[in-house]
Amino acid sequence: MINIKSAEEIKAMRKAGRVVALMLQAVREAVRPGVTTAELDRLAEHVARSNGAVPAFKGFRGFPATLCTSVNEEVVHGIPGKRRLKEGDLISIDTGAVVDGYYGDAAITVPVGHVSELALRLISVTKTALEEGIRAARAGAHLSDISHAIQTVVEAAGFSVVRDYVGHGIGTTMWEEPQVPNYGPPGMGPILKAGMTLAIEPMVNAGSYEVTVRPDEWTVVTRDGSLSAHFEHSIVVTEDGAEILTTLERDP
Ligand code: MG
């Protein structure tokens, strides 16, 4: 059962999405060699709370922080701490916020100072894959048209799509139906309808798609140690395409 949101609910999700975008903007500007991931986390929490939102990840299934900070071969769910970012690192930052009971969820990957050609290309391809996935999310399309659009971009670039973690519906909880895989044939799964709200989030590895979880039971890393990138937006399907909810490019 995929929830269809009312205009009022979508309005609330725009508010949550806007706060998520503000959090990511602040963190992106703070990323530099020498900063710790815990410092980034405190900044994000401050931005959330000073904009009337509650961090969505903190306490979710026991996760201890506002951000997931995943560096280099870390794919998702990295825990902020004492680690200092170094020139040449790649950091994926995933966060969520709740406003009036509605959730927003988004992620970006940011270079720390000067990074390798490969890292820059991985960032660019993952971002494009998200954009193409969002472009495929229109009323009347099938859910897996999103998945296929993402996989096509990623594999054409010689990278691989993580299988073990997927996007998801979002609304009054962070995870709702349906799951939104980042791979698969087109034309499958439910037909998308206006008012469905989805978090689309390609996780892309420079090497193999295989991942494993560190002993901290949170941090997901590439099995082969290759770099990984992650971009995410929460969107609402409309009659003529998708509207991005986790953005600042709109009046609240
Ligand atoms: Mg998500």
Side-chain angles (χ1 to χ4, degrees):
M1 173 67 195
I2 305 176
N3 286 322
I4 304 286
K5 269 73 174 184
S6 67
E8 279 306 302
E9 291 183 288
I10 290 163
K11 220 166 146 183
M13 291 186 70
R14 285 192 191 105
K15 285 188 196 167
R18 185 177 170 81
V19 177
V20 171
L22 285 170
M23 293 160 79
L24 289 178
Q25 176 179 262
V27 172
R28 175 198 290 279
E29 286 168 4
V31 166
R32 72 178 75 87
V35 75
T36 68
T37 50
E39 285 164 353
L40 299 177
D41 190 69
R42 280 197 291 277
L43 172 64
E45 179 164 1
H46 173 74
V47 172
R49 297 199 189 277
S50 57
N51 283 279
V54 175
F57 292 5
K58 204 167 188 173
F60 184 75
R61 302 193 174 183
F63 190 78
T66 295
L67 300 179
C68 293
T69 51
S70 308
V71 181
N72 297 335
E73 78 284 4
E74 297 172 355
V75 179
V76 286
H77 305 167
I79 303 172
K82 291 179 186 156
R83 182 173 189 161
R84 271 180 207 288
L85 297 180
K86 297 193 314 287
E87 179 97 18
D89 282 343
L90 198 60
I91 180 170
S92 297
I93 299 149
D94 190 356
T95 197
V98 196
V99 176
D100 298 334
Y102 286 86
Y103 283 71
D105 185 5
I108 54 175
T109 299
V110 182
V112 182
H114 290 290
V115 302
S116 67
E117 274 304 303
L118 174 67
L120 286 178
R121 203 163 65 83
L122 184 66
I123 290 175
S124 149
V125 166
T126 308
K127 194 160 183 276
T128 303
L130 172 60
E131 288 161 1
E132 289 302 311
I134 291 171
R135 201 192 306 277
R138 53 179 176 269
H142 283 268
L143 181 70
S144 84
D145 294 346
I146 300 171
S147 318
H148 185 69
I150 290 169
Q151 183 177 20
T152 301
V153 170
V154 171
E155 292 183 354
F159 297 141
S160 66
V161 165
V162 171
R163 265 61 167 170
D164 291 1
Y165 299 85
V166 297
H168 48 95
I170 182 165
T172 53
T173 58
M174 194 142 67
W175 290 335
E176 294 185 350
E177 284 188 61
Q179 294 200 342
V180 186
N182 297 302
Y183 60 95
M188 312 282 282
I191 304 267
L192 300 176
K193 296 196 182 86
M196 289 181 177
T197 44
L198 305 172
I200 302 176
E201 51 175 323
M203 289 147 264
V204 176
N205 296 350
S208 150
Y209 64 78
E210 288 182 302
V211 297
T212 183
V213 180
R214 288 228 179 102
D216 66 18
E217 295 184 354
W218 279 107
T219 313
V220 178
V221 296
T222 57
R223 196 177 278 277
D224 61 10
S226 66
L227 288 177
S228 190
H230 179 206
F231 279 86
E232 175 178 21
H233 271 306
S234 300
I235 63 111
V236 55
V237 177
T238 74
E239 290 300 344
D240 42 28
E243 177 195 328
I244 297 174
L245 298 167
T246 38
T247 182
L248 299 177
E249 291 168 16
R250 187 190 348 86
D251 289 330

